[in-house]
Amino acid sequence: MLKYLLIFIAFISVSLEAALPNWYIKNDIPSNQYELIGYGKGKTKEEASQFAKSDIANSIQTTVKSSFISNTLSNNGSYSKNIESSISTSSNVNLSDLILMKTEYFDGVYYIALKYVNLPFTKKVKLTFDDVEGIKKETNSYLLNTPLLKELKDEFGFYPKVSIDKGNLIIGNKSFNISKTTLKKLFSSNINNNLKLKAPTELKHQELYFIKIKSKNNGYLTLIQIYENGETSILFDNKKVKNNSVFEYPNKNEYDGLEAYLNEKQIKAKDLTIAFICSEKKDFSYFDNISVNKEKYAKVYGKIFDMINGCDVSSKIIDIKR
């Protein structure tokens, strides 16, 4: 009797397995070498997706570890202090651009397969274009000096025309989500002989500091800071200045200085300070309306890059640490 019972249980088990999605059982969805497929199941689509994301993150982590082992063995077993940060980075990889490959619902359970293109951001962008002949070339002098545009040039063979709207990079008619890591590649320190900007390059949390600006030309001066989470702060705008004028912000007679700030979750951060002087006033009304809402400034920094085009621009990256 026990023998028959075991056979019956085995039969039921095989029958259930056969009824499950074959692609899920075998994990055999076709993919390229640079693509990772994550598989997950759950009582809801959200739960199944979360398991699939974890599957992808674990695959990336395993790849980093394997690469590290190979590198250390080839270097006589020397230890690299970068391994922990590398693994941490891979585990927290931005999975916002996941592609849904398959989903099935069976016996109260969702089965999902997601695809992640495991390539640097600019390579993923280029991969979506079959033809680049119709793409215009970038002329914005600030953007041309950023690490992101230089990486795009390496992929496209030229500087593609970009626009940035609400945290998305737009090239042609295609849009790509900008992660925090990618955003920092839009930060660049620029020296302009017509507009000199003096500010510290390194600060500690809550340290006070001042910004000095000297302009050779007449015009309307604006000072802005963009933070690595996309929030933007206008320190002042459209201040009319004469040639060879020197300006310090904030006023030492009234304030102790600007405060370098990290939120409670941050150990370090980068701020981008931009000073620009234009021959005409710039309209910040849209920015001001957006900047006070609950969306934490709604990531309007892309409009700043458009506004500074054609003006004298100086910028500086400030590193803040605890």
Side-chain angles (χ1 to χ4, degrees):
M1 182 68 181
L2 179 60
K3 178 180 178 181
Y4 292 119
L5 180 60
L6 291 174
I7 292 173
F8 176 74
I9 292 172
F11 174 77
I12 293 296
S13 177
V14 171
S15 299
L16 286 173
E17 185 174 294
L20 296 179
N22 193 52
W23 55 266
Y24 182 84
I25 297 170
K26 294 185 177 181
N27 285 189
D28 62 353
I29 292 178
S31 61
N32 294 309
Q33 187 175 6
Y34 53 81
E35 296 173 335
L36 297 174
I37 307 295
Y39 299 87
K41 65 177 182 179
K43 293 182 179 179
T44 64
K45 284 185 178 181
E46 291 74 18
E47 184 181 25
S49 295
Q50 198 58 46
F51 279 115
K53 289 179 183 180
S54 298
D55 191 25
I56 291 172
N58 289 333
S59 296
I60 296 173
Q61 188 173 17
T62 300
T63 301
V64 172
K65 284 182 177 178
S66 299
S67 175
F68 168 69
I69 291 170
S70 299
N71 290 335
T72 53
L73 287 176
S74 64
N75 287 294
N76 299 319
S78 61
Y79 179 75
S80 170
K81 292 183 180 179
N82 294 326
I83 183 59
E84 289 185 8
S85 60
S86 297
I87 292 175
S88 176
T89 300
S90 68
S91 298
N92 295 315
V93 68
N94 178 29
L95 300 180
S96 60
D97 298 323
L98 291 170
I99 300 168
L100 177 63
M101 300 298 291
K102 282 183 178 291
T103 179
E104 285 190 36
Y105 180 75
F106 172 75
D107 197 24
V109 178
Y110 288 92
Y111 298 86
I112 283 180
L114 299 175
K115 180 171 75 175
Y116 175 70
V117 180
N118 191 26
L119 290 172
F121 176 74
T122 51
K123 288 186 180 295
K124 284 195 284 189
V125 169
K126 175 59 171 63
L127 198 64
T128 65
F129 290 91
D130 295 323
D131 182 13
V132 299
E133 289 186 6
I135 299 176
K136 296 180 180 179
K137 294 182 179 180
E138 185 59 71
T139 58
N140 186 308
S141 58
Y142 173 83
L143 289 175
L144 290 174
N145 197 47
T146 61
L148 181 60
L149 264 292
K150 291 176 181 178
E151 289 181 16
L152 285 170
K153 180 179 182 295
D154 290 339
E155 298 301 325
F156 283 80
F158 60 93
Y159 292 103
K161 178 71 177 176
V162 305
S163 61
I164 300 157
D165 182 47
K166 295 179 181 177
N168 292 308
L169 180 78
I170 301 168
I171 300 177
N173 61 352
K174 298 185 179 182
S175 180
F176 309 90
N177 178 259
I178 299 176
S179 67
K180 185 185 292 186
T181 300
T182 303
L183 170 57
K184 286 189 284 188
K185 290 184 178 180
L186 284 167
F187 288 7
S188 176
S189 292
N190 290 278
I191 299 173
N192 188 311
N193 291 328
N194 292 326
L195 184 67
K196 294 186 177 180
L197 173 67
K198 186 177 180 181
T201 55
E202 293 185 1
L203 290 166
K204 290 184 178 181
H205 174 55
Q206 295 185 325
E207 186 175 351
L208 299 175
Y209 68 102
F210 291 87
I211 299 171
K212 291 183 179 180
I213 305 168
K214 183 177 181 180
S215 175
K216 284 187 177 181
N217 301 324
N218 296 326
Y220 296 92
L221 179 65
T222 298
L223 185 63
I224 287 176
Q225 287 189 326
I226 302 175
Y227 313 116
E228 64 177 35
N229 62 356
E231 293 183 13
T232 308
S233 178
I234 300 179
L235 302 182
F236 64 81
D237 64 275
N238 292 318
K239 181 178 179 63
K240 192 170 184 179
V241 296
K242 297 181 179 181
N243 59 323
N244 295 318
S245 60
V246 178
F247 186 79
E248 186 172 59
Y249 184 87
N251 189 331
K252 278 187 177 179
N253 295 325
E254 299 178 11
Y255 300 96
D256 295 327
L258 280 173
E259 182 181 357
Y261 177 76
L262 296 173
N263 65 41
E264 59 183 14
K265 296 181 180 179
Q266 290 178 309
I267 298 174
K268 60 181 180 178
K270 289 182 183 292
D271 288 354
L272 176 66
T273 299
I274 304 177
F276 60 98
I277 187 166
C278 309
S279 58
E280 298 179 350
K281 287 185 175 182
K282 294 291 182 177
D283 182 8
F284 289 94
S285 58
Y286 169 84
F287 179 92
D288 289 335
N289 289 335
I290 294 295
S291 67
V292 295
N293 72 12
K294 295 180 180 180
E295 296 179 24
K296 291 188 176 179
Y297 305 93
K299 294 187 177 180
V300 293
Y301 59 84
K303 290 190 174 293
I304 300 302
F305 298 136
D306 291 335
M307 296 173 82
I308 64 179
N309 195 27
C311 303
D312 286 330
V313 181
S314 281
S315 60
K316 179 162 279 191
I317 297 172
I318 301 175
D319 289 300
I320 303 173
K321 299 178 182 178
R322 286 201 181 274

